[in-house]
Amino acid sequence: MTVYRVGTFNLEYGRKIGVVHDEVQIALMQNDLDILILQEAADYFHDLSRIGKYNYYCGNSSVSHRQVGILVKETHHVTGFKALQAGDGWTTISGAKHGPVATPQLRVNGELGIKGLHLPTPSLWVKGKLTGPAERIDDLKETMAQVMNWLRPVVDDRPSLPKIAAGDWNESPKTKGAYSPAWVASQTGAQIHTTDEKSPHGNIDYFMVKGKVKIRNVYQDDKLKEKSDHELRVLVCEV
């Protein structure tokens, strides 16, 4: 059995690169992370690509494709990397145009699949029905369809490969209704794992796990003095 320590962390747009660099370095070392999935990372792309002892994987064709990335410890062997665009972008609540996000995915040591994501917001499920602006809904649906297809073994060349999808889901794991995270998990046989700690930013950063994965622990790193509007979450598992 191999033990993996997997983190997810929304860095928040528009912060000082040096501050973010230090936070990421501390997060990696303090938690001995094998894998760190990052959101709102485009502003820090060049710096993240130079983090020591880790390799960085993300889309490169546009700024919005760099919003989600994955750091993997350089001692691990990575194969099957893809960054798949989901949707065509949407208008944010501030009126700005947000380009389409690419969701990166890869395999670590041929024994664990990893997928990072950041879902559009805001969207609401009213009595189980997804509501909101059409341009956000279609991007959310396409992202969730990607996650479902990736989790289902029929589209994978390794049907029994354990998998972890993680990131900023922008929605509670308890929300019910088609295309909600809980619905995706129910449709694919995956399990959602989140922390018990109360977060001032809501419980929207968590892990969706499929296959033979033994969960040792899931926690929020309260020792990391981050200035982001999210907290670092960590899942410790065996595969």
Side-chain angles (χ1 to χ4, degrees):
M1 301 285 282
T2 306
V3 176
Y4 288 97
R5 302 177 67 88
V6 184
T8 181
F9 188 25
N10 186 319
L11 300 175
E12 188 182 4
Y13 300 123
R15 299 198 295 139
K16 292 183 178 180
I17 292 176
V19 172
V20 172
H21 174 92
D22 290 346
E23 284 181 5
V24 171
Q25 288 276 32
I26 292 170
L28 293 168
M29 293 184 294
Q30 192 164 269
N31 297 278
D32 190 24
L33 295 179
D34 297 282
I35 301 155
L36 179 57
I37 299 165
L38 300 167
Q39 304 88 46
E40 299 192 18
D43 292 349
Y44 322 109
F45 166 75
H46 294 291
D47 188 75
L48 293 169
S49 300
R50 294 192 291 265
I51 293 285
K53 299 182 179 180
Y54 286 80
N55 294 317
Y56 189 56
Y57 300 86
C58 73
N60 285 318
S61 59
S62 69
V63 171
S64 64
H65 280 194
R66 297 174 182 172
Q67 297 293 3
V68 183
I70 306 173
L71 282 165
V72 182
K73 193 175 285 186
E74 64 182 7
T75 53
H76 295 308
H77 180 57
V78 171
T79 56
F81 168 69
K82 297 177 183 178
L84 305 176
Q85 179 174 314
D88 54 6
W90 66 92
T91 302
T92 68
I93 55 176
S94 65
K97 181 64 177 177
H98 194 297
V101 173
T103 60
Q105 63 190 54
L106 49 80
R107 291 189 294 270
V108 180
N109 299 326
E111 63 181 5
L112 179 63
I114 295 289
K115 189 172 185 67
L117 52 87
H118 189 184
L119 293 182
T121 187
S123 296
L124 297 171
W125 278 263
V126 179
K127 295 182 179 179
K129 183 179 180 181
L130 179 58
T131 65
E135 59 183 350
R136 284 200 281 272
I137 288 177
D138 63 11
D139 279 45
L140 186 147
K141 285 184 174 181
E142 188 164 332
T143 303
M144 287 307 212
Q146 276 191 17
V147 175
M148 291 173 67
N149 287 335
W150 180 74
L151 288 170
R152 286 171 171 157
V154 293
V155 297
D156 199 302
D157 58 351
R158 292 283 308 280
S160 62
L161 186 75
K163 295 177 178 178
I164 300 173
D168 180 352
W169 300 82
N170 266 317
E171 191 58 49
S172 165
K174 296 182 180 180
T175 298
K176 296 180 180 180
Y179 294 98
S180 69
W183 180 83
V184 169
S186 71
Q187 296 295 305
T188 58
Q191 300 290 324
I192 292 176
H193 296 273
T194 186
T195 62
D196 295 326
E197 295 98 331
K198 292 183 179 179
S199 166
H201 306 115
N203 191 12
I204 58 177
D205 305 288
Y206 46 86
F207 306 85
M208 189 177 293
V209 180
K210 174 76 180 289
K212 294 181 179 180
V213 181
K214 181 179 180 180
I215 307 300
R216 284 190 174 186
N217 192 17
V218 186
Y219 66 90
Q220 178 176 296
D221 184 2
D222 292 321
K223 294 181 180 179
L224 179 64
K225 303 303 180 183
E226 37 74 25
K227 301 297 182 183
S228 169
D229 57 355
H230 288 250
E231 293 77 33
L232 171 69
R233 303 288 179 89
V234 178
L235 180 144
V236 185
C237 65
E238 293 180 13
V239 298

